[in-house]
Amino acid sequence: MNDYAAPKTLHIARKLLSLLGKIQITDDDDNVVYEAAAQWRWFIRPWRITQDGCEVAVVRRKFLSFAPTWYVHTNDENFELRGKLWSWRRQVAVVGGRFDGAILRGGLWDMGFELSRHGQVMARAQAKIMTLRTRHSIELLDASPQAELLTVILMTTLVEQKSEKSSLGAAADPSPHG
């Protein structure tokens, strides 16, 4: 990649009218690049991420853990995503694999995110606030396919986690502390 190439931008949003909460990742031309869909299970639903109809990753949330933790299996490697339990801002660290030590940090109110590793920013995401569904635009600063897939996996888990939090909070307790 030369110094003048524009960073690639992806857009992630939950698909409307989907029972299991399918998530689509599109490019600037609105072409579907990746899709993430939950598989039906009783407790922990694994998410399958596909690219052009081929499975490229499976993400499964760890059952009964204090901090949010996901097990990720791709065609190349296995690693974990570990959320920080007590933090004002959302933070997820990559443990294992080629991007060991990478951290996705959220901004205040979860409107923006930044993925970095060893001080180098790999991707940035910004939420669109005037839409019917949660939608983020992701600017990929690392052009490698592996970094793109990692970013898609992380953003998929965050969109799902935000959805779970809002649906659980609305169903359990409408108070602001819930």
Side-chain angles (χ1 to χ4, degrees):
M1 183 171 143
N2 62 31
D3 294 333
Y4 302 106
K8 185 176 182 179
T9 303
L10 298 176
H11 308 278
I12 184 169
R14 191 171 271 293
K15 190 173 179 182
L16 291 174
L17 304 175
S18 174
L19 293 176
L20 292 177
K22 186 179 276 190
I23 297 171
Q24 289 185 328
I25 298 92
T26 58
D27 60 14
D28 281 332
D29 296 326
D30 215 22
N31 299 317
V32 176
V33 182
Y34 294 92
E35 277 193 321
Q39 303 300 305
W40 177 253
R41 298 284 190 271
W42 283 107
F43 295 109
I44 301 298
R45 299 181 316 179
W47 281 80
R48 302 205 184 284
I49 300 174
T50 59
Q51 182 179 32
D52 297 326
C54 297
E55 185 176 287
V56 292
V58 176
V59 181
R60 185 176 45 89
R61 187 156 184 177
K62 183 178 179 182
F63 189 62
L64 298 176
S65 66
F66 289 109
T69 304
W70 298 267
Y71 299 117
V72 180
H73 172 72
T74 68
N75 296 336
D76 298 337
E77 60 188 348
N78 298 319
F79 56 92
E80 288 183 20
L81 303 176
R82 291 187 187 156
K84 196 169 185 179
L85 185 59
W86 303 105
S87 177
W88 287 98
R89 297 177 183 194
R90 194 178 308 261
Q91 184 171 319
V92 179
V94 178
V95 179
R98 73 177 52 119
F99 292 107
D100 185 45
I103 297 176
L104 183 75
R105 288 185 178 91
L108 209 53
W109 300 294
D110 282 346
M111 297 305 291
F113 296 93
E114 185 174 274
L115 174 61
S116 61
R117 181 170 180 247
H118 303 304
Q120 183 177 358
V121 178
M122 298 169 58
R124 287 188 185 101
Q126 191 63 40
K128 304 286 186 183
I129 57 174
M130 301 301 281
T131 62
L132 293 174
R133 54 194 173 158
T134 302
R135 183 175 170 92
H136 287 83
S137 292
I138 307 162
E139 181 182 21
L140 297 170
L141 303 173
D142 183 334
S144 72
Q146 296 86 3
E148 178 178 305
L149 180 59
L150 174 65
T151 304
V152 166
I153 291 167
L154 283 162
M155 290 305 297
T156 299
T157 59
L158 289 174
V159 168
E160 176 57 18
Q161 191 177 19
K162 284 174 72 172
S163 174
E164 284 178 2
K165 184 179 176 181
S166 65
S167 66
L168 286 176
D173 184 2
S175 66
H177 67 275

